[in-house]
């Protein structure tokens, strides 16, 4: 007999019907949790006589209550640490992943709930800022736009330099009057920390950075390769090859240094075929809407910057961003300290790329605070004639960087926007008081040097302190006050933010590269097809499609002439494929290049049909991507025709009429206009080239009546106020009148072409031909 039978009977009571007792924890795989109640046993599940389940030692009510308490506490902790969590998950907020998160996030505006308990003035301030600066999705889309443009534009470049967009636009802030800032990084030189970093054999000129104790933030760039008895290195500027010492360097004692002035002068020759203005270290166009800074890059951070990478800070910037900045290095801009009137050896350290990375890591509140600081400078500080131009946006950026690093990242919430602004203002006032603004990367460098000192800081302090004393009410009154015409001083952009984003894109693409290397164009086509697969935003996908269509238009002009005898079928098949893709760029330019193709292949009736179609689409309410300013009439028409759910590509094909650009030696230019593309590209308005092609077709098919009528239409167009590229238009008129036998009128139009601001290069040649008979 089993000695344990008594105990077995006791424990088998619950197993009377052949079922083993199964605990709740076994069924659901839940781990034990601390239980503070008085019950002795854990919950049990067993089968009842009717086949149901019986729960013994029921503590589910208590379990649910505990779960709710733990879950609520978790939500509260998550809310308190929300910005820290988002920063940890998305350190780079200009990434496609973060943009996708914003688009899919259903509670991205949860901070608005806190406004109920706060001062309604905070809500008013924030709402008006969002109307001017844009929503967070608008900001991230702008940042993403410039990232993509840099990728595609550099893929098209044929020179030995890399273009990087910089400034407030590339940072994501599009305020009225913002110009386009670009940096061209020379790839001809290597800049290193010390001689030990030299990689042998030396392939390019190598410079070593020498820091200056008296001027923190500035370095001398010394050629070390030449000193080490290396062969004399050669640099090509695209025209001639010249020895570096004769062109870009200066001797100081027995050492050879890169010359600041010579470096700038070497780039003036080929940047624009028009007047150039020197603006600090930048070269600007005549309207000063574009600033291009030519600089050098080092993959190494200077020794003076290395402490920045490891100094004590809170949660910002994320380690991911710090590592990216370390890996990128720094730039050298050809300008010396403001306190030195004549300097040709000191180069300023530039952290434009690093600063852009930092701003791209800002959360929405940090970015709004940045915009609020810039608006305060523009609308309050700079309206005082005694302190105007003492402060600049860069000082405000430094202020926000320091405050962001010193404060907890969760301080930057929408409900605390004015508090964050006040922290920055307090720090700025403390700096002005001691006339010292520490550079964020090199604290020893005084950014106020040469601008703010004891002679002018008192009056600036009074202006800043008045802003401080005015509080949020004073800030709102000064920033959002009504002017005499009942319009807000700062125009809101709510309701049509997608239009402002489109027009920003149209402004940027006017300075795009036009390569004559067909392999570069094919590279861009392949690149756009690859990038578009990872882009979740409808807008950024449209940017990729635009560059795909634009590359197709360029390829179609770089192919062998369509009348080539060998492989005519294969060549024409390529033409049709690329020209069809090119029609997706805008409403007119692609179709006009197609019409040019049919013209040069002798299919005049098809050309007439296509030009008739284009002219039927050229209504006065069409906008132009080359417009310098945002025309309110065109914006209104744009808004009436389009909506945000359409792709950028579709919007452009409906509402944008681009000028037609014929590349140098374009295979699609009519034979009669070959001289116009002999030396350079030829840009002409869509309505002008449409009418010109119709004139040429009527001339070839012998329809003299329609030819004369078209010529009169062309003359009428040339008198329109909205005419662009006047010199090119007058030159075309001269060609058409010359074909008609009116050489005196042709000569008159060539003269008019030479009197325009941007002169057509072929006008003088054609006028001389007429004079020489």
């Amino acid at each position: 007999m089993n000695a344990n039978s008594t105990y077995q009977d006791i424990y088998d009571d619950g197993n009377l019907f052949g079922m083993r007792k199964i605990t709740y924890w076994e069924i659901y795989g839940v781990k034990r949790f601390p239980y503070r109640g008085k019950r002795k046993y854990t919950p049990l599940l067993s089968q009842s006589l009717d086949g149901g389940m019986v729960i013994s030692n029921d503590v589910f009510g208590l379990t649910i209550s505990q779960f709710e308490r733990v879950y609520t506490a978790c939500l509260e902790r998550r809310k308190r640490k929300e910005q820290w969590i988002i920063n940890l998950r998305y350190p780079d907020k200009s990434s496609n992943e973060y943009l996708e998160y914003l688009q899919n996030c259903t509670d991205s505006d949860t901070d608005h709930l806190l406004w109920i308990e706060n001062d309604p003035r905070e809500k008013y301030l924030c709402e008006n800022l969002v109307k001017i600066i844009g929503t967070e999705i608008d900001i991230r889309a702008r940042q993403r736009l410039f990232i993509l443009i840099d990728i595609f534009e550099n893929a098209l470049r044929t020179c030995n330099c890399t273009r990087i967009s910089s400034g407030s636009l590339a940072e994501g802030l599009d305020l009225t009057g913002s110009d386009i800032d670009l940096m061209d990084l020379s790839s001809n030189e290597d800049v290193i920390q010390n001689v030990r970093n030299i990689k042998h054999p030396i392939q390019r000129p190598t410079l070593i950075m020498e820091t200056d104790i008296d001027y923190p933030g500035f370095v001398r760039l010394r050629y070390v390769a030449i000193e080490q008895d290396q062969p004399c290195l050669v640099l090509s500027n695209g025209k001639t090859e010249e020895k570096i010492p004769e062109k870009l360097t200066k001797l100081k004692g027995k050492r050879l240094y890169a010359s600041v002035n010579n470096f700038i002068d070497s780039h003036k020759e080929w940047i624009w075929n028009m007047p150039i203005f020197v603006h600090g270290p930048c070269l600007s166009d005549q309207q000063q809407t574009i600033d291009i800074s030519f600089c050098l890059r080092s993959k190494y951070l200077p020794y003076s910057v290395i402490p920045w990478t490891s100094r004590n800070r809170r949660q910002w910037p994320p380690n991911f961003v710090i590592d990216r900045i370390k890996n990128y290095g720094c730039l050298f801009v050809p300008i010396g300290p403001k306190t030195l009137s004549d300097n040709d050896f000191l180069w300023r350290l530039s952290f434009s790329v690093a600063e852009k990375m930092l701003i791209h890591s800002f959360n929405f509140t940090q970015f709004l605070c940045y915009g609020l600081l810039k608006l305060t400078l523009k609308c309050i500080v700079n309206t005082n004639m005694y302190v105007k131009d003492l402060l600049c946006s860069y000082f405000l950026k430094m202020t926000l960087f320091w405050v962001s690093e010193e404060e907890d990242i969760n301080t930057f919430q929408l409900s605390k926007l004015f508090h964050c602004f006040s922290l920055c203002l307090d720090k700025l006032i403390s700096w002005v008081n001691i006339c010292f603004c520490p550079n964020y990367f090199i604290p020893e460098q005084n950014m106020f040097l040469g601008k703010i000192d004891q002679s002018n800081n008192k009056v600036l302090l009074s202006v800043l302190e008045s802003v401080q004393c005015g509080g949020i009410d004073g800030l709102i009154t000064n920033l959002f006050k009504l002017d005499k015409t009942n319009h807000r001083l700062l125009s809101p952009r709510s309701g049509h933010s997608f239009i402002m984003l489109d027009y920003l894109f149209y402004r940027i693409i006017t300075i795009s590269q036009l390569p004559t290397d067909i392999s570069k164009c094919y590279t861009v086509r392949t690149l756009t097809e690859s990038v578009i697969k990872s882009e979740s935003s409808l807008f950024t996908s449209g940017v990729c499609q635009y560059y795909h269509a634009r590359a197709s238009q360029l390829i179609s002009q770089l192919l062998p002439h369509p009348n080539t005898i060998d492989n005519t079928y294969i060549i024409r098949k390529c033409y049709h494929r690329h020209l069809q893709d090119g029609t997706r760029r805008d409403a007119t330019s692609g179709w006009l290049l197609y019409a040019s193709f049919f013209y040069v292949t002798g299919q005049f009736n098809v050309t007439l049909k296509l030009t008739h179609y284009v002219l039927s689409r050229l209504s006065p309410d069409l906008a132009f991507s080359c417009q310098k300013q945002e025309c309110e009439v065109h914006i209104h028409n744009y808004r009436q025709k389009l909506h945000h759910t359409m792709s950028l590509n579709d919007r452009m094909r409906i509402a944008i009429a681009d000028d037609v650009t014929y590349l140098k030696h374009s295979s699609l230019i009519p034979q009669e206009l070959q001289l116009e593309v002999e030396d350079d590209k030829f840009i002409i308005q869509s309505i002008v080239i449409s009418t010109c092609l119709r004139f040429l077709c009527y001339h070839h098919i012998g329809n003299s009546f329609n030819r004369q009528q078209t010529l009169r239409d062309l003359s009428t167009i040339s008198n329109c106020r909205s005419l662009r590229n006047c010199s090119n238009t007058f030159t075309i008129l001269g060609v058409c009148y010359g074909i008609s036998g009116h050489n005196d009128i042709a000569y008159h139009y060539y003269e008019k072409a030479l009197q325009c601001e941007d002169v057509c290069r072929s006008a003088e040649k054609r006028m001389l031909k007429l004079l020489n008979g």
Side-chain angles (χ1 to χ4, degrees):
M1 186 174 181
N2 191 345
N4 295 326
S5 61
T6 305
Y7 298 101
Q8 186 69 36
D9 292 338
I10 294 173
Y11 285 104
D12 279 348
D13 284 344
N15 221 3
L16 191 61
F17 300 97
M19 292 185 62
R20 184 178 68 84
K21 293 179 181 178
I22 304 174
T23 66
Y24 170 84
W25 316 113
E26 288 179 80
I27 292 287
Y28 294 98
V30 180
K31 295 180 179 180
R32 294 179 180 271
F33 60 91
Y35 172 59
R36 299 176 183 177
K38 297 180 181 180
R39 290 180 176 84
K40 185 177 181 180
Y41 304 104
T42 59
L44 298 178
L45 298 178
S46 57
Q47 191 174 23
S48 63
L49 293 172
D50 60 358
M53 301 300 293
V54 176
I55 302 175
S56 304
N57 297 330
D58 181 14
V59 292
F60 274 13
L62 180 62
T63 304
I64 294 171
S65 175
Q66 280 188 323
F67 173 77
E68 287 177 346
R69 286 200 303 272
V70 172
Y71 181 68
T72 304
C74 177
L75 287 181
E76 289 175 355
R77 286 196 306 273
R78 182 171 180 177
K79 184 62 183 176
R80 287 196 305 269
K81 299 289 186 181
E82 180 183 11
Q83 293 304 324
W84 179 80
I85 294 170
I86 291 177
N87 269 23
L88 189 65
R89 187 176 178 186
Y90 303 106
D92 178 13
K93 295 181 180 60
S94 63
S95 64
N96 181 63
E97 291 76 13
Y98 185 68
L99 188 55
E100 186 176 9
Y101 160 77
L102 288 177
Q103 292 170 334
N104 298 331
C105 188
T106 56
D107 61 343
S108 59
D109 294 327
T110 50
D111 279 337
H112 290 264
L113 300 175
L114 299 175
W115 288 346
I116 299 172
E117 303 174 3
N118 287 339
D119 191 334
R121 296 170 301 175
E122 288 268 8
K123 181 177 181 180
Y124 182 81
L125 174 65
C126 197
E127 284 179 338
N128 279 276
L129 266 179
V130 171
K131 288 177 183 178
I132 295 165
I133 294 173
T135 64
E136 185 167 14
I137 290 181
D138 294 335
I139 292 164
R140 305 309 174 188
R142 286 185 211 125
Q143 294 172 345
R144 192 78 194 143
L145 165 64
F146 278 91
I147 289 171
L148 291 175
I149 285 178
D150 283 351
I151 291 172
F152 297 139
E153 290 295 328
N154 283 311
L156 285 169
R157 290 175 78 82
T158 53
C159 57
N160 291 327
C161 62
T162 303
R163 175 156 290 180
I164 296 177
S165 53
S166 60
S168 58
L169 279 177
E171 291 166 351
L173 192 61
D174 183 15
L175 297 177
T176 304
S178 298
D179 55 4
I180 299 173
D181 295 303
L182 303 170
M183 304 189 80
D184 275 6
L185 312 185
S186 174
S187 303
N188 293 315
E189 298 89 5
D190 287 329
V191 184
I192 58 177
Q193 283 175 323
N194 55 54
V195 179
R196 291 193 299 272
N197 297 130
I198 293 180
K199 296 179 180 178
H200 295 279
I202 296 174
Q203 302 294 331
R204 295 182 294 184
T206 304
L207 302 99
I208 187 169
M209 56 181 94
E210 294 181 350
T211 57
D212 193 298
I213 299 175
D214 296 328
Y215 298 99
F218 293 86
V219 298
R220 292 183 181 84
L221 300 178
R222 175 166 55 92
Y223 280 97
V224 291
I226 297 174
E227 286 186 354
Q228 295 176 355
D229 298 326
Q230 297 293 328
C232 197
L233 299 167
V234 173
L235 176 67
S236 173
N237 62 7
K239 297 178 181 178
T240 59
E241 292 191 339
E242 298 179 357
K243 296 179 181 180
I244 291 174
E246 298 174 358
K247 184 71 176 178
L248 299 176
T249 65
K250 272 194 175 181
L251 282 170
K252 186 178 182 183
K254 295 182 178 180
R255 294 184 169 186
L256 198 61
Y257 288 89
S259 166
V260 167
N261 295 325
N262 290 353
F263 185 80
I264 294 176
D265 292 340
S266 67
H267 290 90
K268 286 182 181 178
E269 301 172 4
W270 53 272
I271 180 173
W272 282 297
N273 295 316
M274 59 181 71
I276 296 171
F277 297 87
V278 179
H279 179 217
C282 303
L283 300 179
S284 300
D285 63 337
Q286 196 163 11
Q287 292 76 29
Q288 297 191 14
T289 56
I290 303 170
D291 283 343
I292 298 185
S293 172
F294 294 89
C295 48
L296 302 175
R297 176 196 169 193
S298 173
K299 296 179 181 178
Y300 305 91
L301 286 176
Y303 292 121
S304 57
V305 182
I306 292 177
W308 170 84
T309 63
S310 58
R311 72 180 176 217
N312 291 329
R313 49 173 59 93
R314 294 287 187 102
Q315 299 96 339
W316 187 92
N319 290 333
F320 171 82
V321 177
I322 295 173
D323 290 339
R324 283 184 64 188
I325 292 172
K326 286 167 60 178
N327 293 332
Y328 183 83
C330 65
L331 307 176
F332 304 94
V333 180
I335 189 170
K338 289 185 174 67
T339 53
L340 287 180
S341 57
D342 184 19
N343 170 70
D344 199 21
F345 296 104
L346 287 176
W347 295 62
R348 189 179 71 197
L349 284 168
S350 171
F351 301 98
S352 294
V353 175
E355 289 159 10
K356 187 164 68 170
M357 291 179 188
L358 290 170
I359 290 179
H360 284 189
S361 73
F362 275 175
N363 67 20
F364 189 36
T365 306
Q366 285 172 295
F367 200 91
L368 286 182
C369 188
Y370 181 39
L372 186 55
L373 286 166
K374 294 196 74 164
L375 292 175
T376 303
L377 174 67
K378 178 181 179 181
C379 302
I380 301 177
V381 179
N382 282 348
T383 56
N384 187 311
M385 60 178 295
Y386 298 106
V387 299
K388 186 180 180 182
D389 300 329
L390 285 182
L391 286 180
C392 65
S393 298
Y394 193 76
F395 300 159
L396 304 180
K397 190 191 297 185
M398 292 294 104
T399 307
L400 186 54
F401 283 166
W402 280 107
V403 171
S404 297
E405 182 174 287
E406 293 166 0
E407 296 292 324
D408 193 292
I409 188 61
N410 291 292
T411 303
F412 290 90
Q413 298 183 23
L414 289 179
S415 57
K416 301 176 182 178
L417 176 60
F418 182 72
H419 172 67
C420 298
F421 171 81
S422 299
L423 290 173
C424 294
L425 188 60
D426 292 344
K427 184 169 285 293
L428 185 61
I429 288 173
S430 69
W431 289 350
V432 173
N433 190 43
I434 62 174
C435 301
F436 193 96
C437 170
N439 184 287
Y440 178 65
F441 297 96
I442 308 173
E444 299 80 20
Q445 182 183 4
N446 182 9
M447 304 304 298
F448 286 167
L449 202 62
K451 293 206 74 173
I452 299 173
D453 52 36
Q454 295 294 335
S455 66
N456 54 27
N457 72 325
K458 295 295 186 292
V459 63
L460 180 56
L461 274 174
S462 65
V463 173
L464 294 176
E465 287 170 353
S466 68
V467 176
Q468 188 183 47
C469 294
I472 190 170
D473 291 325
L475 196 63
I476 290 172
T477 302
N478 283 290
L479 291 185
F480 308 117
K481 63 187 177 184
L482 299 178
D483 63 16
K484 294 179 182 179
T485 57
N486 256 355
H487 295 294
R488 291 201 178 278
L489 183 62
L490 299 169
S491 57
R493 298 186 171 190
S494 59
H496 57 279
S497 60
F498 80 94
I499 299 176
M500 296 297 101
L501 194 58
D502 287 359
Y503 270 79
L504 173 61
F505 175 61
Y506 302 153
R507 280 175 59 196
I508 300 166
I509 59 178
T510 58
I511 55 173
S512 294
Q513 298 292 311
L514 292 174
T516 55
D517 185 349
I518 195 169
S519 63
K520 293 282 184 181
C521 299
Y522 274 115
T523 299
V524 171
R525 270 180 60 100
T526 305
L527 189 59
T528 55
E529 292 165 0
S530 173
V531 172
I532 199 171
K533 295 175 183 177
S534 61
E535 293 298 318
S536 58
S537 165
L538 202 61
F539 174 76
T540 53
S541 296
V543 173
C544 297
Q545 291 167 356
Y546 168 84
Y547 271 95
H548 188 275
R550 184 166 162 271
S552 298
Q553 287 188 0
L554 298 175
I555 291 171
S556 65
Q557 300 187 61
L558 297 172
L559 289 169
H561 197 278
N563 292 328
T564 303
I565 297 175
D566 297 332
N567 299 322
T568 303
Y569 172 77
I570 296 174
I571 291 174
R572 292 197 178 186
K573 188 176 179 180
C574 288
Y575 268 104
H576 285 295
R577 182 174 75 252
H578 294 304
L579 286 168
Q580 285 172 12
D581 289 342
T583 59
R584 301 191 181 106
R585 174 178 170 177
D586 63 282
T588 58
S589 67
W591 290 111
L592 287 171
L593 286 175
Y594 222 149
S596 297
F597 166 78
F598 285 115
Y599 176 80
V600 298
T601 55
Q603 301 176 67
F604 304 122
N605 288 326
V606 181
T607 304
L608 287 170
K609 288 179 181 179
L610 282 178
T611 52
H612 177 75
Y613 168 72
V614 169
L615 289 171
S616 68
R617 300 192 67 181
L618 282 171
S619 57
D621 58 351
L622 277 177
F624 308 98
S625 66
C626 56
Q627 285 177 193
K628 300 294 183 185
Q629 302 295 331
E630 299 163 0
C631 175
E632 289 298 328
V633 175
H634 284 139
I635 289 177
H636 174 74
N637 293 330
Y638 201 86
R639 188 189 303 118
Q640 296 299 316
K641 285 184 177 183
L642 311 167
H643 52 86
H644 69 279
T645 58
M646 298 171 64
S647 69
L648 173 65
N649 227 221
D650 290 338
R651 293 198 290 264
M652 290 191 74
R653 282 189 285 178
I654 293 172
I656 296 296
D658 252 346
D659 293 345
V660 178
T661 300
Y662 290 101
L663 297 179
K664 183 179 179 180
H665 304 308
S666 170
S667 60
L668 297 181
I669 194 80
Q671 180 64 36
E672 293 83 354
L673 301 177
Q674 285 289 335
L675 193 61
E676 276 59 53
V677 294
E678 190 175 82
D679 299 318
D680 200 1
K681 62 181 181 293
F682 188 70
I683 302 174
I684 193 69
Q685 205 166 328
S686 293
I687 191 170
V688 176
I689 192 63
S690 300
T691 312
C692 175
L693 286 171
R694 293 180 69 79
F695 168 84
L696 294 173
C697 287
Y698 287 133
H699 173 72
H700 281 287
I701 63 179
N703 190 332
S704 57
F705 175 81
N706 283 336
R707 184 187 70 178
Q708 289 304 114
Q709 179 61 46
T710 307
L711 192 56
R712 285 193 291 270
D713 293 341
L714 196 58
S715 299
T716 304
I717 293 167
S718 69
N719 296 320
C720 292
R721 291 183 179 179
S722 59
L723 185 69
R724 300 183 306 281
N725 302 309
C726 299
S727 185
N728 291 354
T729 301
F730 292 143
T731 302
I732 280 186
L733 261 168
V735 172
C736 293
Y737 272 107
I739 291 172
S740 300
H742 301 91
N743 289 341
D744 52 339
I745 302 178
Y747 186 87
H748 165 72
Y749 277 111
Y750 293 145
E751 276 190 324
K752 288 188 69 174
L754 292 174
Q755 294 168 7
C756 295
E757 184 178 338
D758 190 8
V759 176
C760 177
R761 292 187 177 186
S762 61
E764 186 175 1
K765 294 180 181 179
R766 289 191 176 277
M767 191 166 65
L768 290 173
K769 278 188 176 182
L770 283 179
L771 290 173
N772 296 330

